[in-house]
Amino acid sequence: MSTNILLLCGGDGAEHDISLLSASFIEEQLNKTEDFYVLKAVIHNNQFLVEDKPGYFDNNKTFVFDNHKFDVDCVVPCIHGVPGETGDIQSFLEILNIPYIGCRSQASRYCFDKNTTKLHLDSLGIPNSPYKIIPLPNEQYKQIALEFFDKYKDIYVKAASQGSSVGCYHVTKRDDVWDSIIEAFSYSTEVVIEKNIVHRELEVAAYEIDGELKISKPGEIIIPENKFYTYDEKYSQDSGTTTTVEPEGLTDEEIHTIQNLARRAFVGLKLRDLSRIDFFLSKEDGILINEINTFPGATPISMFPKMLEHNGDKMDVFLAKAVYHAIKEHEKGENK
Ligand SMILES: Nc1ncnc2c1ncn2[C@@H]1O[C@H](COP(=O)(O)OP(=O)(O)O)[C@@H](O)[C@H]1O
Ligand SMILES: [Mg+2]
Protein backbone atom coordinates (compact mmCIF):
# COMPACT_ATOMS: atom_id res chain seq x y z
CA MET A 1 0.00 0.00 0.00
CA SER A 2 1.35 3.40 -0.91
CA THR A 3 1.80 6.37 1.43
CA ASN A 4 -0.51 9.17 0.36
CA ILE A 5 0.97 12.63 0.69
CA LEU A 6 -0.99 15.80 0.29
CA LEU A 7 1.43 18.53 -0.76
CA LEU A 8 -0.08 21.88 0.19
CA CYS A 9 1.29 25.03 -1.42
CA GLY A 10 0.37 28.56 -2.43
CA GLY A 11 -1.43 30.50 0.26
CA ASP A 12 -2.80 33.97 -0.18
CA GLY A 13 0.24 35.86 1.08
CA ALA A 14 3.02 37.70 -0.71
CA GLU A 15 4.99 34.45 -1.15
CA HIS A 16 2.29 32.50 -3.06
CA ASP A 17 4.31 32.24 -6.28
CA ILE A 18 7.56 31.30 -4.54
CA SER A 19 5.72 28.57 -2.68
CA LEU A 20 4.57 27.09 -6.02
CA LEU A 21 8.17 26.99 -7.24
CA SER A 22 9.28 25.31 -4.02
CA ALA A 23 6.39 22.83 -4.26
CA SER A 24 7.46 21.71 -7.76
CA PHE A 25 10.91 20.87 -6.41
CA ILE A 26 9.53 19.18 -3.27
CA GLU A 27 7.07 17.16 -5.39
CA GLU A 28 9.93 15.96 -7.60
CA GLN A 29 11.90 14.95 -4.51
CA LEU A 30 8.95 13.18 -2.85
CA ASN A 31 8.27 11.26 -6.07
CA LYS A 32 11.74 9.71 -5.86
CA THR A 33 10.39 7.52 -3.04
CA GLU A 34 8.58 4.68 -4.77
CA ASP A 35 6.11 4.16 -1.97
CA PHE A 36 4.84 7.77 -2.09
CA TYR A 37 1.80 8.94 -3.97
CA VAL A 38 1.70 12.74 -4.05
CA LEU A 39 -1.35 14.92 -4.61
CA LYS A 40 -0.72 18.64 -4.87
CA ALA A 41 -3.31 21.16 -3.69
CA VAL A 42 -2.86 24.91 -4.08
CA ILE A 43 -4.35 27.19 -1.45
CA HIS A 44 -5.84 30.20 -3.18
CA ASN A 45 -8.74 32.53 -2.39
CA ASN A 46 -9.49 30.52 0.76
CA GLN A 47 -9.88 27.29 -1.21
CA PHE A 48 -7.84 24.12 -1.69
CA LEU A 49 -7.52 23.66 -5.46
CA VAL A 50 -6.43 20.50 -7.27
CA GLU A 51 -5.83 21.51 -10.86
CA ASP A 52 -8.21 24.42 -10.29
CA LYS A 53 -10.95 22.22 -8.87
CA PRO A 54 -11.90 22.92 -5.26
CA GLY A 55 -11.45 20.22 -2.64
CA TYR A 56 -12.12 19.87 1.06
CA PHE A 57 -11.25 17.67 4.04
CA ASP A 58 -14.02 15.46 5.31
CA ASN A 59 -13.79 14.31 8.92
CA ASN A 60 -11.98 11.04 8.21
CA LYS A 61 -8.57 12.37 7.15
CA THR A 62 -9.87 12.25 3.61
CA PHE A 63 -9.40 14.98 1.06
CA VAL A 64 -12.31 15.08 -1.35
CA PHE A 65 -12.08 16.72 -4.78
CA ASP A 66 -13.87 16.35 -8.11
CA ASN A 67 -15.60 13.12 -6.99
CA HIS A 68 -12.28 11.61 -5.84
CA LYS A 69 -11.44 10.63 -2.30
CA PHE A 70 -7.81 10.79 -1.22
CA ASP A 71 -6.98 9.24 2.16
CA VAL A 72 -4.23 11.46 3.51
CA ASP A 73 -1.39 9.73 5.37
CA CYS A 74 0.71 12.87 5.75
CA VAL A 75 0.64 16.52 4.71
CA VAL A 76 3.71 18.40 3.50
CA PRO A 77 2.86 22.08 4.06
CA CYS A 78 5.17 23.73 1.52
CA ILE A 79 3.98 27.26 2.16
CA HIS A 80 6.16 30.29 2.85
CA GLY A 81 4.44 32.99 4.85
CA VAL A 82 0.66 32.92 5.28
CA PRO A 83 -0.88 30.42 6.22
CA GLY A 84 2.05 27.96 6.46
CA GLU A 85 4.85 29.68 8.34
CA THR A 86 2.25 31.53 10.43
CA GLY A 87 1.26 28.23 12.04
CA ASP A 88 -2.34 28.44 10.83
CA ILE A 89 -2.29 25.44 8.53
CA GLN A 90 -0.59 23.40 11.28
CA SER A 91 -3.38 24.30 13.74
CA PHE A 92 -5.93 23.30 11.12
CA LEU A 93 -4.19 19.93 10.59
CA GLU A 94 -3.95 19.40 14.35
CA ILE A 95 -7.72 19.90 14.65
CA LEU A 96 -8.24 17.42 11.81
CA ASN A 97 -5.73 15.06 13.48
CA ILE A 98 -3.67 14.65 10.30
CA PRO A 99 0.12 14.10 10.50
CA TYR A 100 2.32 16.71 8.84
CA ILE A 101 6.01 17.37 8.55
CA GLY A 102 7.80 20.48 9.75
CA CYS A 103 7.47 22.85 12.65
CA ARG A 104 4.33 22.78 14.76
CA SER A 105 1.94 25.70 14.86
CA GLN A 106 3.36 27.50 17.89
CA ALA A 107 6.99 27.42 16.78
CA SER A 108 5.93 28.50 13.28
CA ARG A 109 4.07 31.52 14.59
CA TYR A 110 6.85 32.55 17.00
CA CYS A 111 9.41 32.45 14.20
CA PHE A 112 7.31 34.11 11.52
CA ASP A 113 6.68 37.13 13.71
CA LYS A 114 9.94 39.07 13.89
CA ASN A 115 8.98 40.51 17.27
CA THR A 116 8.20 37.20 18.97
CA THR A 117 11.37 35.75 17.43
CA LYS A 118 13.41 38.53 19.01
CA LEU A 119 11.71 38.18 22.40
CA HIS A 120 12.53 34.46 22.38
CA LEU A 121 16.11 34.99 21.21
CA ASP A 122 16.63 37.55 23.99
CA SER A 123 15.28 35.19 26.57
CA LEU A 124 17.45 32.35 25.25
CA GLY A 125 20.49 34.65 25.41
CA ILE A 126 20.99 34.48 21.63
CA PRO A 127 22.43 37.70 20.16
CA ASN A 128 20.29 39.59 17.65
CA SER A 129 20.25 43.18 16.38
CA PRO A 130 19.24 46.03 18.76
CA TYR A 131 15.56 46.78 18.16
CA LYS A 132 12.32 48.33 19.27
CA ILE A 133 8.89 46.82 18.82
CA ILE A 134 6.40 49.29 17.33
CA PRO A 135 2.98 47.82 18.10
CA LEU A 136 0.90 50.86 17.17
CA PRO A 137 1.29 53.75 14.75
CA ASN A 138 0.68 56.46 17.35
CA GLU A 139 2.52 59.53 18.70
CA GLN A 140 4.05 57.64 21.64
CA TYR A 141 5.70 55.11 19.33
CA LYS A 142 6.66 57.82 16.85
CA GLN A 143 8.78 59.39 19.60
CA ILE A 144 10.28 56.01 20.51
CA ALA A 145 11.11 55.37 16.83
CA LEU A 146 12.72 58.79 16.37
CA GLU A 147 14.82 58.39 19.53
CA PHE A 148 15.92 54.98 18.27
CA PHE A 149 16.88 56.51 14.92
CA ASP A 150 18.77 59.36 16.65
CA LYS A 151 20.81 56.76 18.50
CA TYR A 152 21.80 54.67 15.45
CA LYS A 153 21.28 57.07 12.47
CA ASP A 154 20.83 54.09 10.16
CA ILE A 155 18.02 51.60 10.69
CA TYR A 156 15.80 48.94 9.17
CA VAL A 157 12.03 49.20 9.41
CA LYS A 158 10.22 45.91 8.94
CA ALA A 159 6.68 44.63 8.92
CA ALA A 160 6.79 42.12 11.79
CA SER A 161 4.80 39.33 10.13
CA GLN A 162 6.06 39.18 6.56
CA GLY A 163 8.70 37.38 4.57
CA SER A 164 10.57 37.77 1.28
CA SER A 165 11.53 41.33 2.31
CA VAL A 166 7.98 42.63 1.79
CA GLY A 167 7.44 45.72 3.95
CA CYS A 168 11.17 45.95 4.77
CA TYR A 169 12.95 49.32 4.38
CA HIS A 170 16.45 50.60 4.93
CA VAL A 171 16.11 54.10 6.40
CA THR A 172 18.97 56.58 6.61
CA LYS A 173 17.02 59.88 6.85
CA ARG A 174 15.16 60.98 9.96
CA ASP A 175 12.33 62.39 7.79
CA ASP A 176 11.71 58.95 6.29
CA VAL A 177 11.44 57.05 9.57
CA TRP A 178 7.76 57.57 10.26
CA ASP A 179 6.62 57.25 6.63
CA SER A 180 8.42 53.91 6.38
CA ILE A 181 6.84 52.71 9.60
CA ILE A 182 3.38 53.67 8.31
CA GLU A 183 4.17 51.86 5.05
CA ALA A 184 5.31 48.76 6.99
CA PHE A 185 2.04 48.82 8.96
CA SER A 186 0.19 48.32 5.67
CA TYR A 187 1.76 44.83 5.55
CA SER A 188 1.50 43.74 9.17
CA THR A 189 -0.26 44.60 12.45
CA GLU A 190 3.10 45.20 14.15
CA VAL A 191 6.41 46.68 13.07
CA VAL A 192 9.98 46.22 14.28
CA ILE A 193 12.80 48.72 13.87
CA GLU A 194 16.40 47.57 14.04
CA LYS A 195 19.87 49.00 13.98
CA ASN A 196 21.46 48.58 10.55
CA ILE A 197 24.06 45.87 11.01
CA VAL A 198 26.95 46.10 8.57
CA HIS A 199 27.39 42.44 7.86
CA ARG A 200 28.04 39.38 5.78
CA GLU A 201 24.84 37.40 5.35
CA LEU A 202 25.23 33.75 6.33
CA GLU A 203 22.69 31.01 6.85
CA VAL A 204 22.53 27.37 7.88
CA ALA A 205 20.18 24.48 7.23
CA ALA A 206 19.06 23.06 10.57
CA TYR A 207 17.27 19.74 10.14
CA GLU A 208 16.48 16.49 11.88
CA ILE A 209 17.23 13.15 10.31
CA ASP A 210 16.93 9.80 12.12
CA GLY A 211 16.31 11.71 15.35
CA GLU A 212 19.57 13.66 15.06
CA LEU A 213 19.64 17.46 14.75
CA LYS A 214 22.13 18.45 12.07
CA ILE A 215 23.38 21.96 11.45
CA SER A 216 25.00 22.47 8.06
CA LYS A 217 28.06 24.59 7.47
CA PRO A 218 27.03 28.20 6.82
CA GLY A 219 26.30 29.29 3.26
CA GLU A 220 26.61 32.90 2.19
CA ILE A 221 24.36 35.32 0.34
CA ILE A 222 26.59 37.83 -1.43
CA ILE A 223 24.60 40.97 -2.12
CA PRO A 224 25.93 43.79 -4.35
CA GLU A 225 27.22 46.77 -2.39
CA ASN A 226 24.65 49.40 -1.34
CA LYS A 227 21.81 46.92 -1.65
CA PHE A 228 20.05 44.66 0.77
CA TYR A 229 18.39 41.32 0.19
CA THR A 230 15.15 42.65 -1.30
CA TYR A 231 12.39 40.63 -3.01
CA ASP A 232 14.00 41.32 -6.40
CA GLU A 233 17.50 40.45 -5.21
CA LYS A 234 16.04 37.19 -3.93
CA TYR A 235 14.01 36.09 -6.94
CA SER A 236 14.45 38.24 -10.05
CA GLN A 237 16.32 36.98 -13.12
CA ASP A 238 18.67 39.96 -13.15
CA SER A 239 19.48 39.90 -9.45
CA GLY A 240 23.14 40.73 -8.80
CA THR A 241 23.11 38.54 -5.71
CA THR A 242 25.06 35.29 -5.68
CA THR A 243 25.17 32.46 -3.17
CA THR A 244 27.76 29.95 -2.11
CA VAL A 245 27.82 26.93 0.18
CA GLU A 246 31.56 27.44 0.75
CA PRO A 247 32.00 31.04 1.94
CA GLU A 248 35.54 32.38 1.90
CA GLY A 249 37.56 33.35 4.93
CA LEU A 250 35.36 32.14 7.79
CA THR A 251 37.32 31.02 10.82
CA ASP A 252 36.58 27.67 12.48
CA GLU A 253 35.51 29.63 15.54
CA GLU A 254 32.98 31.67 13.54
CA ILE A 255 31.56 28.51 11.98
CA HIS A 256 31.37 26.84 15.36
CA THR A 257 29.63 29.85 16.96
CA ILE A 258 27.06 30.02 14.15
CA GLN A 259 26.31 26.31 14.38
CA ASN A 260 26.07 26.46 18.15
CA LEU A 261 23.67 29.42 18.11
CA ALA A 262 21.56 27.70 15.43
CA ARG A 263 21.36 24.57 17.56
CA ARG A 264 20.32 26.56 20.61
CA ALA A 265 17.65 28.41 18.61
CA PHE A 266 16.28 25.18 17.07
CA VAL A 267 16.01 23.50 20.46
CA GLY A 268 14.90 26.60 22.41
CA LEU A 269 12.16 27.55 19.99
CA LYS A 270 11.07 23.92 19.70
CA LEU A 271 11.44 23.68 15.94
CA ARG A 272 10.83 20.37 14.20
CA ASP A 273 12.25 18.66 11.11
CA LEU A 274 13.59 21.65 9.20
CA SER A 275 14.43 25.32 9.23
CA ARG A 276 16.86 27.77 7.70
CA ILE A 277 18.46 30.01 10.27
CA ASP A 278 19.86 33.30 8.99
CA PHE A 279 22.79 35.16 10.50
CA PHE A 280 24.62 38.46 10.27
CA LEU A 281 28.38 38.29 10.72
CA SER A 282 29.50 41.78 11.62
CA LYS A 283 32.88 43.28 12.53
CA GLU A 284 31.21 45.77 14.87
CA ASP A 285 28.33 43.70 16.27
CA GLY A 286 29.60 40.10 16.21
CA ILE A 287 27.48 37.12 15.17
CA LEU A 288 23.72 37.70 15.35
CA ILE A 289 20.69 35.66 14.36
CA ASN A 290 18.58 37.68 11.93
CA GLU A 291 15.67 35.31 11.45
CA ILE A 292 14.41 31.76 11.39
CA ASN A 293 12.45 30.37 8.45
CA THR A 294 10.32 27.39 9.41
CA PHE A 295 9.55 26.32 5.85
CA PRO A 296 12.53 27.61 3.90
CA GLY A 297 12.45 28.18 0.15
CA ALA A 298 13.15 25.16 -2.01
CA THR A 299 13.28 26.76 -5.46
CA PRO A 300 16.14 25.85 -7.82
CA ILE A 301 18.16 28.77 -6.39
CA SER A 302 17.26 28.20 -2.73
CA MET A 303 19.89 27.60 -0.11
CA PHE A 304 18.22 25.07 2.21
CA PRO A 305 18.41 22.08 -0.18
CA LYS A 306 21.89 23.11 -1.33
CA MET A 307 23.24 23.37 2.22
CA LEU A 308 21.60 20.08 3.25
CA GLU A 309 23.16 18.27 0.28
CA HIS A 310 26.52 19.97 0.83
CA ASN A 311 26.32 18.62 4.37
CA GLY A 312 26.22 15.08 3.00
CA ASP A 313 22.48 14.39 3.02
CA LYS A 314 19.97 13.95 0.21
CA MET A 315 16.84 16.07 0.01
CA ASP A 316 14.63 13.14 -1.11
CA VAL A 317 15.88 10.90 1.70
CA PHE A 318 15.46 13.71 4.24
CA LEU A 319 11.85 14.31 3.13
CA ALA A 320 11.00 10.61 3.09
CA LYS A 321 12.35 10.14 6.60
CA ALA A 322 10.46 13.23 7.83
CA VAL A 323 7.20 11.84 6.38
CA TYR A 324 7.62 8.39 7.95
CA HIS A 325 8.65 9.99 11.22
CA ALA A 326 5.59 12.28 11.26
CA ILE A 327 3.29 9.30 10.64
CA LYS A 328 4.97 7.28 13.40
CA GLU A 329 4.91 10.14 15.91
CA HIS A 330 1.27 10.75 15.10
CA GLU A 331 0.42 7.11 15.78
CA LYS A 332 2.00 7.60 19.20
CA GLY A 333 -0.16 10.74 19.65
CA GLU A 334 2.75 13.14 19.46
CA ASN A 335 1.77 15.44 16.64
CA LYS A 336 1.39 18.40 18.96
N1 LIG B 1 19.09 44.95 10.99
C1 LIG B 1 19.50 44.80 9.75
N2 LIG B 1 20.73 45.25 9.36
C2 LIG B 1 21.16 45.10 8.08
N3 LIG B 1 20.45 44.50 7.11
C3 LIG B 1 19.23 44.04 7.42
C4 LIG B 1 18.69 44.14 8.76
N4 LIG B 1 17.48 43.58 8.76
C5 LIG B 1 17.25 43.13 7.51
N5 LIG B 1 18.29 43.41 6.69
C6 LIG B 1 18.37 43.11 5.24
O1 LIG B 1 17.04 42.94 4.76
C7 LIG B 1 16.83 41.58 4.31
C8 LIG B 1 15.41 41.15 4.64
O2 LIG B 1 15.21 41.17 6.04
P1 LIG B 1 14.70 39.92 6.84
O3 LIG B 1 14.60 40.29 8.27
O4 LIG B 1 15.52 38.73 6.51
O5 LIG B 1 13.21 39.76 6.28
P2 LIG B 1 12.48 38.61 5.45
O6 LIG B 1 11.78 37.78 6.46
O7 LIG B 1 11.52 39.35 4.61
O8 LIG B 1 13.52 37.84 4.68
C9 LIG B 1 17.93 40.79 4.99
O9 LIG B 1 18.21 39.62 4.26
C10 LIG B 1 19.08 41.79 5.01
O10 LIG B 1 19.72 41.87 3.73
MG1 LIG C 1 15.24 37.01 5.40
Side-chain angles (χ1 to χ4, degrees), residues 114 129 156 158 162-166 168 194-199 201 223 228-230 234 278 280 290-291 293:
K114 297 183 191 312
S129 59
Y156 271 77
K158 305 193 222 173
Q162 273 295 344
S164 286
S165 304
V166 174
C168 173
E194 297 177 14
K195 175 187 178 187
N196 175 29
I197 307 294
V198 179
H199 67 275
E201 205 145 327
I223 305 158
F228 72 96
Y229 206 23
T230 57
K234 285 177 180 173
D278 298 351
F280 293 154
N290 174 38
E291 65 158 341
N293 300 275

Side-chain angles (χ1 to χ4, degrees), residues 21-253:
L21 289 177
S22 292
S24 302
F25 177 75
I26 299 275
E27 185 177 22
E28 197 184 292
Q29 297 299 312
L30 287 168
N31 278 327
K32 288 187 184 173
T33 300
E34 235 167 78
D35 174 48
F36 287 175
Y37 184 86
V38 184
L39 177 74
K40 187 158 76 179
V42 179
I43 300 177
H44 191 41
N45 290 335
N46 303 317
Q47 287 186 306
F48 296 102
L49 301 171
V50 179
E51 286 168 6
D52 293 331
K53 300 205 178 65
Y56 63 92
F57 290 90
D58 76 4
N59 49 15
N60 289 316
K61 298 184 194 167
T62 304
F63 184 75
V64 184
F65 67 101
D66 198 25
N67 295 325
H68 296 285
K69 282 188 168 208
F70 186 73
D71 292 323
V72 182
D73 292 309
C74 186
V75 166
V76 175
C78 176
I79 300 162
H80 315 311
V82 198
E85 282 182 299
T86 52
D88 296 308
I89 200 74
Q90 292 78 3
S91 297
F92 177 73
L93 295 168
E94 281 160 20
I95 292 167
L96 293 173
N97 201 21
I98 298 177
Y100 60 89
I101 72 160
C103 295
R104 299 172 187 83
S105 69
Q106 180 167 285
S108 305
R109 185 168 291 282
Y110 285 163
C111 292
F112 189 63
D113 185 313
K114 297 183 191 312
N115 287 330
T116 50
T117 308
K118 280 183 161 296
L119 294 172
H120 277 81
L121 293 177
D122 285 350
S123 131
L124 293 166
I126 295 175
N128 60 96
S129 59
Y131 67 99
K132 284 280 176 213
I133 293 175
I134 308 292
L136 293 167
N138 66 16
E139 194 53 36
Q140 180 195 356
Y141 287 104
K142 183 172 178 179
Q143 289 318 315
I144 288 172
L146 290 174
E147 269 169 38
F148 186 84
F149 180 83
D150 290 341
K151 182 166 177 193
Y152 295 112
K153 306 278 187 304
D154 188 352
I155 66 170
Y156 271 77
V157 169
K158 305 193 222 173
S161 289
Q162 273 295 344
S164 286
S165 304
V166 174
C168 173
Y169 312 101
H170 182 198
V171 180
T172 53
K173 294 197 188 89
R174 199 175 197 269
D175 283 350
D176 293 341
V177 172
W178 195 240
D179 288 347
S180 306
I181 289 176
I182 297 298
E183 188 70 24
F185 267 109
S186 69
Y187 294 101
S188 178
T189 53
E190 288 194 4
V191 168
V192 61
I193 55 177
E194 297 177 14
K195 175 187 178 187
N196 175 29
I197 307 294
V198 179
H199 67 275
R200 284 176 72 178
E201 205 145 327
L202 301 168
E203 43 194 50
V204 296
Y207 56 100
E208 291 175 303
I209 198 159
D210 293 329
E212 185 196 347
L213 171 57
K214 291 191 172 186
I215 313 288
S216 74
K217 282 213 284 183
E220 183 167 13
I221 312 292
I222 304 162
I223 305 158
E225 225 172 306
N226 301 322
K227 286 198 168 170
F228 72 96
Y229 206 23
T230 57
Y231 188 93
D232 283 345
E233 283 306 314
K234 285 177 180 173
Y235 308 116
S236 126
Q237 289 285 356
D238 40 61
S239 157
T241 295
T242 56
T243 61
T244 172
V245 289
E246 274 295 337
E248 278 175 24
L250 295 183
T251 65
D252 287 349
E253 196 190 336

